[in-house]
Amino acid sequence: MADTKREIERKYEATDDTRLPDLTRAAGVDRMVHRGPTELDAVYYDTADLRLAADALTLRRRTGGADEGWHLKFPVATGIRDEIHEPLADTLPRPLAALLRSRVRHAEITPVVRLLSARDLHHLTTADGTLLAEVSVDRVRAERLAGEGTGTAAAWTEIEVELADDGDPAVLDAVEKRLRKAGVRPSESSSKLARALAETTPNRDENGREKDSPYTSGDHVLAYVRAQIRAIVDLDPAVRRDLPDSVHRMRVATRRLRSTFKTHRKLLDREVTDPLGAELKWLAAELGLDRDQEVLDERIGARVEALPATLALGPVRGRLRAWSAARRTGSRRRIIDVLDGKRYLDLLDALDALSADPPLLPAAGRAPEKALPRAVLKDYGRLATRVGHALRLPPGPERDAALHEARKAAKRARYAGEAARPALGKPAKRFAKRVKAVQSLLGDHQDSVVAREALRTLAIQSHAAGETAFTWGLLYGQEEAAAEARERELPEVWARAAAPGLRADLKH
């Protein structure tokens, strides 16, 4: 993977006459070292419809300066971006192209803006020379290379303050205080590219128009659907970069989307959503191949680590590692292959088509106060039936299976409550919170069921290899006790989710 750094910076308005104040008077800054001028030539790339800019991503090829090459920046928060760097090349490097695939797909990436910057650079350091931040005064000239406004130019001057790697953000606050005192104000543009597009596109507002507020039941459901589609697309690069929890979050988005299609079958045409639901199920399964094993490893591994040394008999840790390695599918490579495959890209195209031309049924035009509570309560009814059935069964495999089915129903009811929250407010929020508690309890129970089966397999393997199976049996007993504890807790947790007042609130 390409080099990645976390970029934390702030931008300020300036003019050709602006002079930097003495920043050694900022708290923590001892020296302000002038590094001299640099000429930067950057060409920014995007699709014809500016898909990257719409998501606040920037892709550029820059010459000049210490880090010339290709740069791809993903927004993290205001003033914070992850910058991925590849060496200078004539064409877009393949690692960066892969990170853009979920957004770009079959569209061509071409130059859209060229920025020529005359940069005057200063380093802010401590007394011993430790770099705290870089401050530059940039005189920028922008030229529009494609799209509306082609050939239009713009020019401005700005001050950029970028925190050093592992630097203290308090330095940025201290520097801003000195800049403000000198009459320098923060920039309204989030990036040079955003400003260039705004100033070279006729009648374009950088922030775009505000979207109309949801009005009908269909509006609210579509808003939730589009948010999940957006999450899948946004998380694709994070999964490729193997960022923490990214696979899990992408999998959750697919589940939320599929669940919403099921919950709102009276609002969305099943002829369109059922095939998409099947493809989402496939994607979730592919994403979950090693995620489930990872969760299981963590659960059993934590129990092993908690044992006194006198009870960890035999090569327990080595056996656990060997068992886990044998079960892993090498899905890191497999997941990338899935994300690069035609089936996945076709799914993204189909989801975009649904978002652009939603298959709404006549019922979607109804007021959300009527249609959405009905859908949420229907999912609740399914959950209540499954919980009641499970609680009537004696402990054992049949009850375990019934509780797992109840867990899936709880997840669906929770997502229905989340989708209804913008329309129904606090009642939907309370409902989703209570049902989530049920889901979490049942999820822990199911994890124990799966862990017990794994521990039984480990015990069999140990015995066959001439090792003692004592420790695996001990851990099996712990998991059995944990499952029994969850089953004892369930009636009370369910009673809070089943409170008549909670359901009545959804109807009003």
Side-chain angles (χ1 to χ4, degrees), residues 265-317:
R265 286 173 172 170
K266 292 187 176 181
L267 306 184
L268 298 170
D269 189 345
R270 290 184 61 180
E271 289 189 8
V272 176
T273 59
D274 281 0
L276 286 175
E279 290 301 281
L280 289 165
K281 182 178 182 180
W282 158 77
L283 179 58
E286 292 288 352
L287 292 171
L289 285 175
D290 269 4
R291 169 63 185 175
D292 292 341
Q293 183 62 37
E294 180 183 345
V295 171
L296 190 56
D297 289 348
E298 290 175 355
R299 186 179 183 100
I300 297 177
R303 289 206 179 278
V304 169
E305 293 301 321
L307 284 175
T310 54
L311 297 181
L313 305 184
V316 174
R317 292 174 179 81

Side-chain angles (χ1 to χ4, degrees), residues 10-31:
R10 298 181 188 178
K11 294 180 179 295
Y12 301 87
E13 298 287 350
T15 69
D16 289 344
D17 296 327
T18 301
R19 297 292 179 268
L20 288 176
D22 180 6
L23 296 178
T24 60
R25 301 182 65 185
V29 178
D30 294 307
R31 295 177 181 171

Side-chain angles (χ1 to χ4, degrees), residues 58 76 83 112 161 230-231 284 328 351 368 380 392 417 459 494 498:
T58 59
V76 176
E83 180 181 289
V112 292
V161 184
R230 184 78 263 152
R328 289 186 177 270
L351 291 173
Y380 164 81
R392 288 191 295 271
W494 171 243

Side-chain angles (χ1 to χ4, degrees), residues 398-432:
E398 190 177 356
R399 175 185 261 199
D400 291 343
L403 289 172
H404 182 44
E405 291 302 310
R407 177 201 180 192
K408 290 189 282 188
K411 192 177 297 185
R412 180 166 159 180
R414 171 195 165 192
Y415 295 156
E418 289 177 351
R421 181 180 172 184
L424 306 182
K426 290 183 179 180
K429 179 181 179 180
R430 284 194 295 269
F431 174 86

Side-chain angles (χ1 to χ4, degrees), residues 45-116:
Y45 289 73
D46 207 330
T47 59
D49 54 359
L50 301 178
R51 297 179 196 177
L52 304 185
D55 288 343
L57 273 67
T58 59
L59 171 66
R60 75 184 179 204
R61 180 185 184 276
R62 190 170 76 181
T63 57
D67 64 343
E68 67 177 9
W70 286 86
H71 305 89
L72 174 60
K73 299 185 181 184
F74 288 93
V76 176
T78 302
I80 303 176
R81 296 185 290 183
D82 278 346
E83 180 181 289
I84 303 169
H85 176 262
E86 282 282 344
L88 194 64
D90 292 336
T91 58
L92 176 63
R94 291 180 63 184
L96 300 189
L99 294 175
L100 296 172
R101 190 162 289 124
S102 66
R103 290 175 170 85
V104 174
R105 282 168 243 168
H106 312 293
E108 184 180 4
I109 298 179
T110 58
V112 292
V113 169
R114 184 183 187 188
L115 295 181
L116 300 175

